[in-house]
């Protein structure tokens, strides 16, 4: 290879991310890790988003580690408490227009969640990588009215067509890859290629994180089952409550409590409503809040890590979850995981070795919780196997190498990245 081509290949890339709402959640964690991974590879990275609240976001997005610019926020998030999907599209398009007109040169633009901006980027001759966490058409299940059916029909078709304009489509698991082709029949027929890029966890967050003394005092080591999810109905947190209530019937003298924790945004109506629903369910099941049942909202990274480390076992309740970052975090902190036997956890959790994969049945979950309570020695052995599993398959370094390779495959298809 000539020296000139080597210099071109070694030259850092300019990479833009466009993400709809840079809050706290699995998708946001992936975007942050994706950006960090590429930045650590020497590339210039900047994230554009229509919304970013420094008080409700990952610290790397507000402490100067990552360059974040808010654009597209002039348009509302919803109209008359409706049309949130339409508003998200408009806000993303406005952010994209700013990138195209005023953002300067970028070698590649990485978009996720909302694909509406992809054709616009291609119109401006940008190379685009689209990361599909899960088809949005499957996340909207409420379509009872005729108007909603018509509204979603056009949005669903628009999502499929615009996604197809990307130079490369990445998905977060083989499970999502299969769902992608089943959902987007046109792209399947056109044989639009996709590649799997598993989400990663930043292991340094757990290695370097300080212990949250207040949390550690309130929730001592191995005294509670732990559920970590956003306060959304699709996360199936009800299952954790019902299983725990059944567990208490099986183990009447147990000292193991249940801690429910997750992302909570008071701007999001579902978060507010669902937390109240869970509180009501807990009360109806005979659980006592702040005694054997605890609800926590949007805790710090230090508190999150402390809760994971101190938990007895992590309960991961979403069914058919696209990937699920929580099981990998739980395994890295040497905690066993109980998860639904579906979706991404089937690819990350080693059943019987690092945790258990069980059908969505609170009785079966309760029985397995009771089994672990009767055999506490399994916590240590499963935990050790879980950490080895995560380091070898889901570490940030492995993720960074794969991400960098995929980016270079779009920017310079005939060349290989430095990592390869």
């Amino acid at each position: 290879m000539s020296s000139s081509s080597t210099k071109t290949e070694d030259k850092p890339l300019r990479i833009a991310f466009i993400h709809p709402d840079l809050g706290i959640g699995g998708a946001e964690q992936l975007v942050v890790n994706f950006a960090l991974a590429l930045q650590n590879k020497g590339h210039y990275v900047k994230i554009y988003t229509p919304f970013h609240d420094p008080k409700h976001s990952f610290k790397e997005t507000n402490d100067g580690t990552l360059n974040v610019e808010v654009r597209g926020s002039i348009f509302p998030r919803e109209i008359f408490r409706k049309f949130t999907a339409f508003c998200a599209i408009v806000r993303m398009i406005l952010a994209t227009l700013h990138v195209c007109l005023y953002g300067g040169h970028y070698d590649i633009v990485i978009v996720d969640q909302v694909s509406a901006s992809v054709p616009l980027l291609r119109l401006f001759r940008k190379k685009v990588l689209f990361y599909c966490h899960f088809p949005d058409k499957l996340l909207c299940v409420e379509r009872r009215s005729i108007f909603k059916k018509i509204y979603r029909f056009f949005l669903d078709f628009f999502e499929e067509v615009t996604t197809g304009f990307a130079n490369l489509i990445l998905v977060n698991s083989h499970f999502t890859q299969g769902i992608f082709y089943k959902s987007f029949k046109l792209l399947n027929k056109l044989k639009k290629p996709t590649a799997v890029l598993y989400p990663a966890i930043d292991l340094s967050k757990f290695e370097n994180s300080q212990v949250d003394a207040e949390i550690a005092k309130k929730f001592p080591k191995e005294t509670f089952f732990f559920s970590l999810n956003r306060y959304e109905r699709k996360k199936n947190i009800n299952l954790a409550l019902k299983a725990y209530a059944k567990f208490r019937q099986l183990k009447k003298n147990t000292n193991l409590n249940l801690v429910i924790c997750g992302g909570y945004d008071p701007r999001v109506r579902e978060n507010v409503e669902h937390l109240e629903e869970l509180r009501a369910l807990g009360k109806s099941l005979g659980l006592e809040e702040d005694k054997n049942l605890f609800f926590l909202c949007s805790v710090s990274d230090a508190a999150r890590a402390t809760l994971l480390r101190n938990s007895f076992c992590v309960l991961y309740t979403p069914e058919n979850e696209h990937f699920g970052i929580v099981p990998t975090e739980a395994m890295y902190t040497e905690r066993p995981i109980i998860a639904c036997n579906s979706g991404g956890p089937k690819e990350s959790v080693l059943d019987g070795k690092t945790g258990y994969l069980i059908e969505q049945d609170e009785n079966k979950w309760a029985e397995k919780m009771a089994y672990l309570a009767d055999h506490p020695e399994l916590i240590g052995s499963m935990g050790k196997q879980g950490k080895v599993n995560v380091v070898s398959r889901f570490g940030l370094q492995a993720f960074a190498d794969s991400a960098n390779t995929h980016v270079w495959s779009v920017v310079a298809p005939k060349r290989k990245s430095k990592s390869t």
Side-chain angles (χ1 to χ4, degrees), residues 44-81:
Y44 172 82
V45 174
K46 188 170 185 178
I47 302 176
Y48 295 87
T49 179
F51 185 84
H52 176 239
D53 179 1
K55 296 179 181 179
H56 186 76
S57 57
F58 292 104
K59 68 180 183 64
E60 294 89 349
T61 66
N62 55 65
D63 66 1
T65 303
L66 290 171
N67 190 353
V68 176
E69 185 171 329
V70 176
R71 294 292 174 181
S73 60
I74 191 172
F75 200 82
R77 290 167 54 89
E78 56 185 15
I79 300 173
F80 302 120
R81 304 185 77 174

Side-chain angles (χ1 to χ4, degrees), residues 27 29 43 50 53 66 76 101 139 158 168 236 253 287 325 372 374 414:
Q29 180 71 79
H43 304 304
D53 179 1
L66 290 171
L101 297 175
L139 299 177
F158 186 63
L168 176 64
N236 200 24
N253 297 320
L287 304 178
I325 202 72
L372 285 175
D374 289 336
K414 294 183 180 180

Side-chain angles (χ1 to χ4, degrees), residues 126-413:
K126 305 286 187 183
K127 292 186 176 181
V128 184
L129 187 157
F130 182 76
Y131 195 97
C132 177
H133 304 276
F134 208 65
D136 183 67
K137 64 188 294 185
L138 299 182
L139 299 177
C140 179
V141 296
E142 198 286 294
R143 301 171 183 236
R144 286 174 290 184
S145 70
I146 295 296
F147 176 79
K148 189 67 176 284
K149 289 178 180 178
I150 296 173
Y151 169 68
R152 284 305 316 189
F153 172 81
F154 285 105
L155 287 182
D156 294 347
F157 180 73
F158 186 63
E159 178 189 11
E160 179 169 7
V161 172
T162 53
T163 298
F165 276 86
N167 295 93
L168 176 64
I169 300 168
L170 296 180
V171 292
N172 56 18
S173 65
H174 291 287
F175 169 76
T176 298
Q177 189 176 47
I179 295 296
F180 179 92
Y181 287 120
K182 287 181 181 178
S183 304
F184 296 141
K185 293 181 172 55
L186 176 61
L187 297 183
N188 188 16
K189 188 174 182 179
L190 294 174
K191 301 187 184 308
K192 185 70 178 181
T194 59
V196 175
L197 177 63
Y198 285 125
I201 61 171
D202 185 352
L203 307 182
S204 64
K205 278 189 176 182
F206 296 95
E207 295 292 349
N208 303 328
S209 67
Q210 296 180 341
V211 174
D212 187 309
E214 185 177 343
I215 288 290
K217 183 179 180 180
K218 187 173 182 179
F219 304 106
K221 186 79 171 178
E222 296 186 1
T223 60
F224 60 96
F225 291 99
F226 186 44
S227 170
L228 180 62
N229 274 298
R230 288 192 304 276
Y231 284 102
E232 297 176 355
R233 296 179 183 94
K234 67 184 179 184
K235 296 300 182 181
N236 200 24
I237 304 171
N238 291 12
L239 176 59
L241 289 167
K242 293 176 181 177
Y244 177 69
K246 295 280 187 181
F247 163 77
R248 290 187 66 84
Q249 293 175 9
L250 295 174
K251 307 291 293 182
K252 297 186 185 301
N253 297 320
T254 184
N255 63 349
L256 289 169
N257 301 320
L258 174 63
V259 177
I260 305 289
C261 178
Y264 178 89
D265 189 339
R267 298 172 302 132
V268 180
R269 181 173 51 172
E270 184 182 11
N271 288 178
V272 177
E273 292 177 350
H274 193 44
L275 178 55
E276 290 307 310
E277 292 167 358
L278 292 170
R279 283 189 163 129
L281 176 62
K283 187 175 181 179
S284 71
L285 292 170
L287 304 178
E288 299 179 66
E289 196 169 334
D290 295 328
K291 185 175 181 182
N292 51 43
L293 172 62
F294 299 84
F295 291 101
L296 305 176
C297 299
S298 298
V299 299
S300 67
D301 285 345
R304 177 191 180 103
T306 302
L307 286 164
L308 281 166
R309 288 197 196 98
N310 280 11
S311 66
F312 180 75
C313 173
V314 175
L315 309 178
Y316 192 65
T317 54
E319 188 175 25
N320 290 325
E321 182 71 359
H322 336 146
F323 177 75
I325 202 72
V326 171
T328 58
E329 291 180 333
M331 287 185 285
Y332 185 73
T333 53
E334 300 190 27
R335 298 296 90 190
I337 181 93
I338 297 178
C340 286
N341 189 27
S342 63
K346 292 181 70 173
E347 299 175 44
S348 60
V349 179
L350 304 179
D351 189 29
K353 296 180 180 179
T354 67
Y356 298 105
L357 297 170
I358 310 174
E359 302 305 318
Q360 186 180 310
D361 182 326
E362 61 260 31
N363 292 304
K364 293 180 179 179
W365 280 56
E367 289 170 5
K368 195 61 69 174
M369 292 160 69
Y371 181 77
L372 285 175
D374 289 336
H375 299 83
E377 69 279 3
L378 290 175
I379 303 299
S381 60
M382 284 187 160
K384 287 182 174 61
Q385 292 185 77
K387 187 169 185 176
V388 171
N389 178 43
V390 171
V391 171
S392 63
R393 299 174 62 206
F394 307 109
L396 196 58
Q397 185 57 53
F399 175 83
D401 291 341
S402 296
N404 194 45
T405 298
H406 287 306
V407 165
W408 273 106
S409 74
V410 175
V411 175

Side-chain angles (χ1 to χ4, degrees), residues 1-11 415:
M1 182 181 291
S2 68
S3 59
S4 60
S5 63
T6 301
K7 289 180 180 179
T8 301
E9 197 165 310
D10 288 348
K11 183 179 178 181
R415 288 191 230 137

